[in-house]
Amino acid sequence: MEGKDEVLRPIYLGKRTFLGLKDLVIAFYAQKCPFQCSYCSLPTKSHPEPLPVTQIKQQIDWTFEQYANELSSFQQLSVGNEGSILDRERFPKEAIAYLLEQAQALSYLKVLSLETRPEYILPATMEEIFHLTHADLIDVTIGFETQDDYLREVILNKTIRRKTFESKIKLLGEMGIRLTSYVLLKPGPTMTEEEGVKEAILTIEYLAEVCQKFGTDLVIYLNPVYVAIGTPLAKAFSLNQYKPVRIQSVVQVIAETSDLNVPIYTGLWSENNTDGYGDYTVHKDYQPEIRNALKQFNKTQDFDLLEPFYQIELDRRQYQSLPILL
């Protein structure tokens, strides 16, 4: 257990431009997530036992001190705890109230984004947050990952049932809360590149359809899968049984779902959870220029930035499909 006088710090603290908004991102150090998703190593960074509210408040104070001179410039505040920020056993009501009280310093706050599992999205909880925040929009971010029930429940061990998830999407629509859903690109250990792309597209199409049905605003957070240390995927990778997705496939998924008019933000970082070789950079045809273009796309949603790379990929696929003439 940490010393009584030790000031804890968040697991992660940073800033980014998310869909054009300057975003302050915080992952608080808290008791580890009770769920055991098979490809996730993030709970290893968390605390094995409940933390006193005072130690969570200390993290909040420390965070806002780090950005004291630019708090008023942030337009989005994204908070999580490597589990569920709405899980009151791990992030008590008093801590949420204190966080949103301190967040009043973000005078131009447009979006409050809360990362959580669907089980913790309750009408009373969300009503309380509405009363505590001055943000124009509340967003909840959920790691649904894939519409394939076998992949999600058996391979990834997410324990997010489709029926439960859809009921929460309906609730969000009724309350005027936006959904941001994580979508994994090539999560299956035996997936080919083409299968990974197809599954990501199917997942985005599914999410768009359900959100349209319930009148819920949607953002996609597309994550090319990386090989997290200590996970089953790491073993498959070490045995040359799994290759991370190519960065070109990220562009392909964005291009081939653009007609849905759903904003897509791409996660391009492995959160310091790989050994340095377990992501899209392992491929010989990896192009840093594509990563730079995707970073700009994350800010602007301007597909013209990605179009040249998508066209090159289309040409490559067409060339590979040509018959060999003897």
Side-chain angles (χ1 to χ4, degrees), residues 282-298:
V282 301
H283 294 279
K284 292 181 179 179
D285 62 354
Y286 165 66
Q287 295 175 263
E289 297 85 357
I290 299 179
R291 186 178 187 274
N292 292 335
L294 283 165
K295 288 172 67 176
Q296 291 304 311
F297 176 80
N298 281 344

Side-chain angles (χ1 to χ4, degrees), residues 10 18 36 53 96 101 106 112 131 133-134 140 156 172 175 180 206 232 240 245 277 306:
F18 189 94
Q36 298 179 339
V53 174
I96 281 279
E101 178 185 347
L106 281 67
L112 171 67
H131 289 126
T133 184
H134 64 293
V140 295
L156 300 178
L172 295 178
M175 299 189 75
T180 293
Y206 161 76
N240 295 317
V245 70
Y277 299 98
L306 304 179

Side-chain angles (χ1 to χ4, degrees), residues 155-181:
I155 300 299
L156 300 178
N157 197 32
K158 292 293 296 188
T159 60
I160 296 180
R161 303 294 183 260
R162 184 184 292 255
K163 186 176 180 180
T164 300
F165 182 61
E166 290 185 0
S167 72
K168 297 302 181 179
I169 293 177
K170 182 175 184 289
L171 174 62
L172 295 178
E174 292 169 348
M175 299 189 75
I177 299 171
R178 187 180 75 186
L179 169 67
T180 293
S181 178

Side-chain angles (χ1 to χ4, degrees), residues 4-197:
K4 188 179 294 185
D5 298 326
E6 181 180 353
V7 177
L8 297 182
R9 298 181 180 182
I11 295 171
Y12 175 81
L13 175 63
K15 55 186 178 179
R16 64 185 177 187
T17 301
F18 189 94
L19 305 180
L21 299 181
K22 185 177 179 181
D23 186 14
L24 177 60
V25 185
I26 314 167
F28 289 102
Y29 181 68
Q31 183 182 9
K32 70 178 182 178
C33 177
F35 298 90
Q36 298 179 339
C37 304
S38 60
Y39 291 176
C40 179
S41 64
L42 296 176
T44 60
K45 299 181 178 181
S46 302
H47 197 272
E49 300 173 355
L51 279 180
V53 174
T54 53
Q55 290 191 318
I56 298 176
K57 287 183 175 180
Q58 286 175 351
Q59 294 179 65
I60 294 169
D61 290 337
W62 182 86
T63 295
F64 283 92
E65 286 170 5
Q66 305 312 300
Y67 290 101
N69 295 330
E70 55 181 314
L71 288 177
S72 63
S73 67
F74 287 107
Q75 300 158 297
Q76 179 163 320
L77 175 63
S78 299
V79 292
N81 58 355
E82 307 300 16
S84 296
I85 200 75
L86 298 181
D87 177 355
R88 287 185 167 167
E89 289 188 17
R90 286 157 179 79
F91 210 87
K93 179 179 177 180
E94 183 182 345
I96 281 279
Y98 186 75
L99 170 65
L100 298 182
E101 178 185 347
Q102 301 308 304
Q104 294 291 325
L106 281 67
S107 51
Y108 291 98
L109 187 64
K110 295 181 181 297
V111 179
L112 171 67
S113 182
L114 307 164
E115 186 163 349
T116 186
R117 284 182 57 91
E119 294 90 338
Y120 303 109
I121 303 172
L122 304 173
T125 300
M126 303 316 299
E127 287 290 354
E128 289 170 0
I129 290 171
F130 270 117
H131 289 126
L132 290 169
T133 184
H134 64 293
D136 298 333
L137 174 69
I138 294 175
D139 167 281
V140 295
T141 298
I142 299 176
F144 182 67
E145 318 297 14
T146 173
Q147 61 85 40
D148 185 303
D149 295 332
Y150 179 81
L151 266 176
R152 189 178 63 260
E153 299 302 312
V154 179
I155 300 299
L156 300 178
N157 197 32
K158 292 293 296 188
T159 60
I160 296 180
R161 303 294 183 260
R162 184 184 292 255
K163 186 176 180 180
T164 300
F165 182 61
E166 290 185 0
S167 72
K168 297 302 181 179
I169 293 177
K170 182 175 184 289
L171 174 62
L172 295 178
E174 292 169 348
M175 299 189 75
I177 299 171
R178 187 180 75 186
L179 169 67
T180 293
S181 178
Y182 288 117
V183 173
L184 292 181
L185 182 45
K186 201 180 176 187
T190 62
M191 271 184 163
T192 64
E193 192 80 10
E194 293 73 20
E195 289 169 342
V197 167

Side-chain angles (χ1 to χ4, degrees), residues 39-41 186 224-239 241-245 269-270 272-280 282:
Y39 291 176
C40 179
S41 64
K186 201 180 176 187
V225 170
Y226 63 83
V227 180
I229 296 171
T231 63
L233 203 61
K235 182 177 181 180
F237 178 68
S238 68
L239 297 173
Q241 296 172 348
Y242 178 84
K243 271 193 174 182
V245 70
W269 299 269
S270 55
N272 297 321
N273 285 320
T274 72
D275 59 6
Y277 299 98
D279 60 20
Y280 50 78
V282 301

